[in-house]
Amino acid sequence: MIGEAFSSDATDVHVIPRTKDYLIQFRKLGVLVPFQTIDPEQAERLIAHLKFMASMDIGEKRKPQSGSFSLTVRNTPLSLRISTLPTTHLKESLVIRILPQKYQIPIEKMSLYPSSAKKLLALLMYSHGLILFTGPTGSGKTTTLYSLVHHCSAALNRNVITLEDPVEKMHEDMVQIQVNEKAGITYSTGLKAILRHDPDIIMVGEIRDRETAEIAIRASLTGHLVISTMHTRDAKGAIYRLMELGVEWHDIEQTLLAVSAQRLLRLVCPVCKAECGGKCHRVKTLNMASVYEIVTGSALKEVLKEAKGESVQYQYHTLQTLINKGVALGFVSELEYRKWVHEEKR
């Protein structure tokens, strides 16, 4: 099952209980595709085995659980993140997130526009400050972060320490810490420990609460470059989110270097000249790229003034501008653009 999912470039496997059977679905390019059905007894054995591999409590079916383990499938190392949810009649729904470990995508190949990649790499030259990446689930934030910190470690020879929940991609050239609340390693305690470990760059998986935000701000004030993610719709939203978390206004002004909102788009295939579902059967490669709404420099100062209630005028390339440009240049189909507009209106 996992081999088939990996071969078809699926990102997630869903095992969903139904009245008489279980349905297995693959998520491909954001869409759930049915794979097969299995009988309840076989499904329960499968779920129990995966929970055992992920060091989860096999006997507990009434509470949500999560875990992870590594596996080699078709000569490719994979990290699998397992999540279960209890449903009616003591049945469990299970989701597997598939995280390939073997390759690292350079930021230049991820970005639809070369200028965006250059801006992101230029931001890494700062010695201290806070850089935030925002966007919905599945927009490629984590992939962008790994690409950037890999560049810092391999090309810039800087000491990179990551704090994640869980560690999604293993890298031998950086120190990686996994959040483990049972062992007392939370985002806040982990960040405090990292500050004593002489880091140049700290990657925090996600800023979720006030304590994590304040420690990330403090780390950036004390001579470290901090890179993290937040869940907001656009770049401006990250500033308002920090304010909601109770971060002092002068700290935001002193530390925030840039905010980047991103979206992952399916591109028009250069071979068959159509949107072939992201994977052309003729070229056998994924045909997707990210667009980045990067707010930094003078534009960031103006956005900060706006957040304080001042009347300002500023210009930067918004997500809508960038996607419109992609349509005009023939990289992005009008169908993909309409899909993005629909998601933004929801």
Side-chain angles (χ1 to χ4, degrees):
M1 177 185 70
I2 295 171
E4 288 292 328
F6 173 68
S7 297
S8 60
D9 295 310
T11 56
D12 301 85
V13 177
H14 291 239
V15 183
I16 303 170
R18 302 193 296 189
T19 305
K20 296 182 179 179
D21 58 16
Y22 280 69
L23 173 65
I24 299 176
Q25 294 178 300
F26 295 163
R27 185 176 293 281
K28 302 178 184 179
L29 301 171
V31 179
L32 283 174
V33 179
F35 172 59
Q36 69 179 58
T37 60
I38 56 177
D39 62 75
E41 183 181 352
Q42 188 179 16
E44 289 171 7
R45 291 205 310 270
L46 171 65
I47 292 172
H49 176 70
L50 290 169
K51 289 169 69 175
F52 170 76
M53 294 292 291
S55 301
M56 297 157 65
D57 186 353
I58 297 175
E60 180 58 74
K61 297 182 179 181
R62 297 169 297 178
K63 296 180 181 179
Q65 296 189 71
S66 61
S68 61
F69 67 95
S70 298
L71 191 69
T72 299
V73 175
R74 300 178 183 178
N75 298 320
T76 302
L78 302 177
S79 177
L80 304 179
R81 193 167 68 193
I82 312 296
S83 174
T84 62
L85 276 177
T87 65
T88 55
H89 308 298
L90 291 179
K91 291 183 177 181
E92 288 183 293
S93 173
L94 181 139
V95 174
I96 307 169
R97 170 63 60 88
I98 300 174
L99 303 163
Q101 305 291 301
K102 193 171 183 180
Y103 59 87
Q104 183 65 50
I105 305 173
I107 191 69
E108 298 90 344
K109 293 186 178 181
M110 290 173 51
S111 177
L112 179 60
Y113 304 111
S115 58
S116 297
K118 291 178 181 178
K119 285 182 182 178
L120 292 175
L121 291 174
L123 291 171
L124 299 178
M125 302 307 295
Y126 283 94
S127 60
H128 62 277
L130 176 64
I131 304 173
L132 294 176
F133 290 85
T134 74
T137 301
S139 60
K141 298 188 301 296
T142 302
T143 305
T144 297
L145 256 65
Y146 273 110
S147 178
L148 293 175
V149 296
H150 175 75
H151 175 81
C152 291
S153 180
L156 303 180
N157 295 318
R158 301 173 80 177
N159 182 26
V160 179
I161 303 180
T162 74
L163 180 62
E164 305 164 71
D165 183 21
V167 172
E168 296 194 2
K169 293 187 179 183
M170 303 300 295
H171 282 273
E172 294 184 355
D173 51 359
M174 64 183 75
V175 178
Q176 294 176 282
I177 302 171
Q178 182 161 306
V179 171
N180 186 345
E181 294 185 358
K182 292 181 180 179
I185 304 175
T186 63
Y187 271 113
S188 56
T189 58
L191 273 172
K192 289 176 183 176
I194 287 173
L195 292 177
R196 297 190 292 267
H197 214 70
D198 190 31
D200 294 313
I201 297 174
I202 302 171
M203 186 190 101
V204 181
E206 183 182 350
I207 293 179
R208 298 178 177 178
D209 50 38
R210 177 173 181 171
E211 189 177 14
T212 307
E214 289 179 343
I215 295 172
I217 291 286
R218 192 192 316 159
S220 60
L221 282 170
T222 55
H224 304 90
L225 184 62
V226 180
I227 305 174
S228 187
T229 67
M230 299 184 81
H231 284 284
T232 60
R233 177 169 290 186
D234 54 19
K236 289 194 298 183
I239 297 169
Y240 292 98
R241 179 64 179 147
L242 288 174
M243 294 167 63
E244 288 176 4
L245 291 175
V247 178
E248 295 291 336
W249 181 254
H250 64 272
D251 287 338
I252 297 176
E253 288 185 309
Q254 288 290 318
T255 60
L256 194 60
L257 294 174
V259 184
S260 172
Q262 71 180 85
R263 294 294 187 277
L264 189 61
L265 301 176
R266 283 185 279 188
L267 305 182
V268 173
C269 180
V271 177
C272 62
K273 302 299 180 183
E275 188 182 311
C276 51
K279 186 172 182 179
C280 180
H281 66 281
R282 295 164 66 182
V283 295
K284 301 294 184 184
T285 56
L286 282 172
N287 196 27
M288 304 183 76
S290 293
V291 291
Y292 298 91
E293 176 186 287
I294 304 171
V295 181
T296 186
S298 58
L300 179 60
K301 291 180 181 178
E302 294 296 303
V303 171
L304 288 169
K305 289 180 182 178
E306 182 188 47
K308 292 173 69 175
E310 300 180 21
S311 177
V312 296
Q313 291 184 350
Y314 53 83
Q315 289 186 340
Y316 60 88
H317 294 300
T318 63
L319 285 170
Q320 182 163 355
T321 303
L322 294 167
I323 297 174
N324 284 343
K325 181 181 177 182
V327 174
L329 293 173
F331 296 140
V332 181
S333 70
E334 292 187 12
L335 177 65
E336 183 73 2
Y337 172 74
R338 289 196 297 270
K339 176 186 171 185
W340 175 79
V341 170
H342 175 70
E343 290 177 352
E344 290 300 301
K345 288 181 178 179
R346 288 195 306 183

